[in-house]
């Protein structure tokens, strides 16, 4: 839809001057304010959010929808922290914590070798914050993974894991990140951000790194030449003002470094955790979150829906609400969401299924690498 038609439609159909002003800004590539962000959450109907976010999405990416061929490794779910929303972590406080796991180094290398000969481009490694797995352990692990699979991009460790390992090793964030980068790490995933507002963070994850530390870690990563992603955990006790504050802090850091690739809203799932009394939000709230993220985060090139978390059908819908990236084939036993009741209990999609999911809603499937170089356009090449 053209700029003129988006504006005309909004101007003709609503008397809401604030929405008209926002639409005007969107059509002129201008940034909206935090007050306007909150206004979108509180007063604007989903149809208008769809119109604006899809306009931005198509202006930036047309119908292109990115995915990659990746797999996940979660070395352990043993964690020194106790986030209230986490269904996955175990701290072996009691010896009979039967569903705690800890992969041996050999098991990790075997998991990498299992993909030999397959055109996978990325391994995503995150897990609990294990008191015994430190910087030296992970440096060695990454070096060995790269020795087995030199071509693979290692996206690893949330800022929470990195903060813990740097502090324990008594090195600055930049020093720690340089060690990992030299070992072969390529980028950072976006986890651990949750909600930056101090009060909300205190209530849902009071003992892990602070918001300031999370942001400082990502700034340090960008400074040493490692790009990263950013997430937000929405749909629990937060209010629109906290969502907008969170996005604003990321937008400011992105202005400074330009090092973020994608913004990934993560829907709070209420299974088996200490916040199970909180209802999950409706699909309307999901669509709103992604659409407003697309409108507000004007300096983030990609808005990603992590399909194992949000489900395949909602992912398809989200491709008309600002989303242009759906992560990867994932192939794995990733448990951080399945244990909290996410849509997919054992998420894996073949390339063919990925292509079908995207083409079924008239978008263009593009395989990308971890830093968004386009590898293959599946709308013009045959799957072999
Ligand atoms: O930080 C944990 C979230 C995150 C729950 O960068 C939960 O490409 C909802 O960040 N309900 C870790 N969310 C995973 C992550 C991620 C995933 C996929 C791709 C990328 C990327 C990053 O998982 C945590 C937390 O926000 N999480 N428990 C839950 N009950
Ligand atoms: Fe540990 Fe991460 Fe779970 Fe928090 S979300 S308890 S840091 S594994």
């Amino acid at each position: 839809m053209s700029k003129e038609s988006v504006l005309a439609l909004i101007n003709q159909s609503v008397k809401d001057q604030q929405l008209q002003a926002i639409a005007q800004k969107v059509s002129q590539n201008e940034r909206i304010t935090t007050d306007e962000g909150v206004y979108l959450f509180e007063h604007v109907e989903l149809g208008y959010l769809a119109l604006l976010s899809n306009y931005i999405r198509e202006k930036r990416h047309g119908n292109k929808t990115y995915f990659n061929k990746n797999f996940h490794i979660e070395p352990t779910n043993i964690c020194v922290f106790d986030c209230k929303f986490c269904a996955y972590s175990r701290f072996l406080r009691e010896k009979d914590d039967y569903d705690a796991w800890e992969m041996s180094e050999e098991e990790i290398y075997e998991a990498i070798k299992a993909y030999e000969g397959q055109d996978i481009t990325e391994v995503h490694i995150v897990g609990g914050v294990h008191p015994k797995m430190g910087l030296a352990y992970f440096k060695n692990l990454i070096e060995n993974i790269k020795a087995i699979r030199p071509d693979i991009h290692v996206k690893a460790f949330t800022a929470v894991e990195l903060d813990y390992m740097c502090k324990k090793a008594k090195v600055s964030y930049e020093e720690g990140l340089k060690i990992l980068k030299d070992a072969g790490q390529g980028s950072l995933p976006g986890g651990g951000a949750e909600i930056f507002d101090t009060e909300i963070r205190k209530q849902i994850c009071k003992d892990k790194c602070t918001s300031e530390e999370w942001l400082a870690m990502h700034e340090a990563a960008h400074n040493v030449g490692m790009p990263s992603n950013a997430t937000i955990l929405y749909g629990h006790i937060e209010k629109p003002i906290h969502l907008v504050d969170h996005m604003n802090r990321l937008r400011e850091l992105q202005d400074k470094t330009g090092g973020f690739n994608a913004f990934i809203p993560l829907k709070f799932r209420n299974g088996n955790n200490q916040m199970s009394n909180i209802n999950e939000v409706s699909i309307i709230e999901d669509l709103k979150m992604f659409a407003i993220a697309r409108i507000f985060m004007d300096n983030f090139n990609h808005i990603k829906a992590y399909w194992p978390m949000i489900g395949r059908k909602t992912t398809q819908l989200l491709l008309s609400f600002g989303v242009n990236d759906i992560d990867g084939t994932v192939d794995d036993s990733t448990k951080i969401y399945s244990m909290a009741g996410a849509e997919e209990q054992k998420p894996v999609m073949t390339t063919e299924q990925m292509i079908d999911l995207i083409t079924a809603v008239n978008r263009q499937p593009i395989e990308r690498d971890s830093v968004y170089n386009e590898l293959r356009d599946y709308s013009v090449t045959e799957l072999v």
Side-chain angles (χ1 to χ4, degrees), residues 126-146:
V126 289
V129 180
H130 192 295
K132 293 211 180 100
M133 293 178 182
L135 188 60
Y137 173 83
F138 284 119
K139 168 189 181 291
N140 180 57
L141 190 82
I142 292 175
E143 279 170 351
N144 289 337
I145 290 173
K146 291 294 278 189

Side-chain angles (χ1 to χ4, degrees), residues 48-170:
Y48 296 116
L49 297 175
L51 205 64
L52 293 173
S53 59
N54 194 49
Y55 166 72
I56 301 170
R57 185 250 199 257
E58 290 188 357
K59 191 176 60 178
R60 280 175 179 256
H61 303 290
N63 280 323
K64 286 182 179 175
T65 300
Y66 295 103
F67 70 96
N68 70 352
K69 293 184 186 164
N70 65 351
F71 64 99
H72 285 222
I73 291 183
E74 290 171 3
T76 182
N77 67 342
I78 294 172
C79 187
V80 298
F81 298 124
D82 184 27
C83 304
K84 302 290 172 244
F85 51 80
C86 185
Y88 151 102
S89 70
R90 298 289 178 272
F91 186 40
L92 292 187
R93 288 183 187 89
E94 292 162 22
K95 282 211 177 64
D96 60 350
D97 222 341
Y98 56 90
D99 49 3
W101 78 84
E102 191 179 328
M103 289 172 84
S104 69
E105 265 190 75
E106 249 341 287
E107 283 171 329
I108 294 175
Y109 303 141
E110 285 309 313
I112 303 282
K113 285 178 194 157
Y115 291 92
E116 204 178 330
Q118 295 184 36
D119 59 348
I120 298 278
T121 59
E122 177 187 275
V123 56
H124 179 148
I125 308 175
V126 289
V129 180
H130 192 295
K132 293 211 180 100
M133 293 178 182
L135 188 60
Y137 173 83
F138 284 119
K139 168 189 181 291
N140 180 57
L141 190 82
I142 292 175
E143 279 170 351
N144 289 337
I145 290 173
K146 291 294 278 189
I148 298 167
R149 217 36 222 261
D151 57 321
I152 213 161
H153 179 102
V154 179
K155 180 172 76 174
F157 315 126
T158 65
V160 179
E161 295 169 273
L162 291 163
D163 170 73
Y164 186 82
M165 46 178 121
C166 287
K167 282 180 183 156
K168 226 171 165 192
K170 298 195 171 44

Side-chain angles (χ1 to χ4, degrees), residues 82-314:
D82 184 27
C83 304
K84 302 290 172 244
F85 51 80
C86 185
Y88 151 102
S89 70
R90 298 289 178 272
F91 186 40
L92 292 187
R93 288 183 187 89
E94 292 162 22
K95 282 211 177 64
D96 60 350
D97 222 341
Y98 56 90
D99 49 3
W101 78 84
E102 191 179 328
M103 289 172 84
S104 69
E105 265 190 75
E106 249 341 287
E107 283 171 329
I108 294 175
Y109 303 141
E110 285 309 313
I112 303 282
K113 285 178 194 157
Y115 291 92
E116 204 178 330
Q118 295 184 36
D119 59 348
I120 298 278
T121 59
E122 177 187 275
V123 56
H124 179 148
I125 308 175
V126 289
V129 180
H130 192 295
K132 293 211 180 100
M133 293 178 182
L135 188 60
Y137 173 83
F138 284 119
K139 168 189 181 291
N140 180 57
L141 190 82
I142 292 175
E143 279 170 351
N144 289 337
I145 290 173
K146 291 294 278 189
I148 298 167
R149 217 36 222 261
D151 57 321
I152 213 161
H153 179 102
V154 179
K155 180 172 76 174
F157 315 126
T158 65
V160 179
E161 295 169 273
L162 291 163
D163 170 73
Y164 186 82
M165 46 178 121
C166 287
K167 282 180 183 156
K168 226 171 165 192
K170 298 195 171 44
V171 294
S172 70
Y173 289 169
E174 290 207 4
E175 284 164 343
L177 288 163
K178 268 192 206 138
I179 289 170
L180 294 169
K181 184 170 184 251
D182 290 345
Q185 182 170 340
S187 63
L188 274 57
E194 323 311 357
I195 288 284
F196 291 145
D197 177 81
T198 313
E199 273 313 304
I200 303 289
R201 198 172 182 84
K202 214 186 275 173
Q203 290 182 53
I204 65 172
C205 54
K206 66 173 183 314
D207 52 358
K208 72 183 183 195
C209 77
T210 64
S211 307
E212 290 70 28
E213 287 167 334
W214 191 98
L215 290 161
M217 182 62 75
H218 282 255
E219 183 168 358
H222 302 167
N223 287 343
V224 304
M226 276 203 276
S228 67
N229 291 332
T231 57
I232 186 168
L233 182 70
Y234 71 92
H236 44 94
I237 58 167
E238 87 292 351
K239 297 275 178 294
I241 193 167
H242 306 123
L243 298 171
V244 174
D245 166 65
H246 186 98
M247 292 195 287
N248 192 44
R249 295 196 211 191
L250 290 170
R251 199 168 73 167
E252 283 174 357
L253 180 54
Q254 180 74 330
D255 278 343
K256 206 165 155 190
T257 67
F260 286 114
N261 280 329
F263 181 57
I264 315 163
L266 296 172
K267 176 192 183 120
F268 164 68
R269 311 304 308 229
N270 69 1
N272 306 311
N273 56 44
Q274 297 169 66
M275 289 163 63
S276 293
N277 59 315
I278 298 169
N279 288 335
E280 291 178 5
V281 294
S282 71
I283 189 170
I284 304 289
E285 298 306 314
D286 297 327
L287 300 175
K288 273 174 102 168
M289 177 70 233
F290 281 84
I292 296 170
R294 181 59 287 170
I295 298 165
F296 191 85
M297 305 295 263
D298 62 335
N299 54 3
F300 275 66
N301 213 7
H302 307 285
I303 303 293
K304 186 199 277 194
Y306 184 58
W307 66 264
M309 181 67 178
I310 199 87
R312 298 178 201 214
K313 293 236 177 305
T314 307

Side-chain angles (χ1 to χ4, degrees), residues 328-348:
T329 44
V330 174
D331 189 0
D332 129 281
S333 52
T334 184
K335 295 194 181 70
I336 193 152
Y337 304 119
S338 54
M339 288 168 88
E343 302 296 318
E344 303 276 338
Q345 285 302 302
K346 190 145 179 40
V348 53

